[in-house]
């Protein structure tokens, strides 16, 4: 299985390591020419969504990526990646890919909670210790969106068909179960 990891900005190397240790093949996507037809899925890493959105736009990725996701390309967005996938941001006027039917709030846990970790119950995985960094959360999930995990009463992991999105960072821990979940989702 070959997974494309967007390597424009943010925590992409950590995703690559996790995928490699699960036996997946990894391809870094930096240029539009890296976004080839042979990819079985793609990951949008955490980082800064405004910077990544700008780089996706300047790199000519926005339309082709959106089209391929709409055509069924499996995608997982972590943190900033969740923001890029959402079709509405409640505290920001930007919309980037807009393929995920969800309203997302950026930097939603407030400044006091810039970064923290917490125990969650992840549907299909079980007890899971999640790391949040200036994290967004999902304020409203559309009818076709399955809620996979909540933290402090807020939705932090969702799935809509072939799209997975988490507000937290599984790539920054040694726990590979969410990466396995994504690979299983593709199979
Ligand atoms: N706060 C960042 C944003 O709005 C997301 C943080 C992250 O990806 N860790 O883009």
């Amino acid at each position: 299985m070959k997974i494309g990891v967007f390597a424009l900005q943010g925590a992409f190397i950590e995703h690559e390591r996790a995928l490699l240790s699960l036996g997946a093949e990894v391809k870094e996507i930096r240029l539009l020419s890296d976004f080839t037809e042979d990819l079985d899925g793609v990951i949008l890493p955490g980082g800064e969504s405004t910077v990544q959105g700008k780089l996706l736009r300047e790199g000519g990725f926005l339309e082709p990526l959106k089209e391929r996701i709409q055509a069924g390309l499996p995608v997982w967005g972590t943190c900033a990646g969740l923001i890029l996938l959402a079709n509405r941001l409640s505290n920001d006027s930007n919309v980037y890919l807009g393929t995920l039917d969800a309203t997302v709030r950026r930097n939603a846990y407030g400044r006091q909670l810039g970064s923290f970790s917490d125990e969650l119950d992840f549907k299909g995985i079980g007890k899971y210790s999640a790391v949040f960094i200036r994290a967004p959360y999902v304020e409203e999930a559309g009818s076709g969106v399955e809620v996979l995990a909540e933290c402090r009463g807020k939705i932090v992991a969702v799935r809509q068909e072939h799209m997975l999105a988490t507000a937290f960072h599984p790539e920054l821990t040694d726990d590979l179960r969410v990466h396995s979940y994504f690979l299983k989702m593709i199979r």
Side-chain angles (χ1 to χ4, degrees), residues 46-50 78-80 83 106-107 133-134 169:
E48 193 53 45
S49 58
T50 47
T78 52
C79 202
I83 295 167
R106 291 184 62 202
N107 302 319
I133 302 169
R134 291 186 305 112
H169 289 269

Side-chain angles (χ1 to χ4, degrees), residues 39-75:
L39 300 173
D40 298 301
V42 291
I43 290 182
L44 294 161
E48 193 53 45
S49 58
T50 47
V51 175
Q52 293 185 9
K54 183 170 176 279
L55 293 173
L56 285 174
R57 191 169 289 122
E58 288 172 0
F61 286 109
L62 276 189
E63 278 313 308
L65 177 56
K66 182 176 176 169
E67 276 166 26
R68 274 176 65 186
I69 294 171
Q70 280 167 337
L73 178 69
V75 60

Side-chain angles (χ1 to χ4, degrees), residues 141-154:
S143 54
V145 176
E146 185 184 10
V147 174
L148 299 177
E150 294 187 14
C151 176
R152 304 179 184 184
K154 307 296 183 190

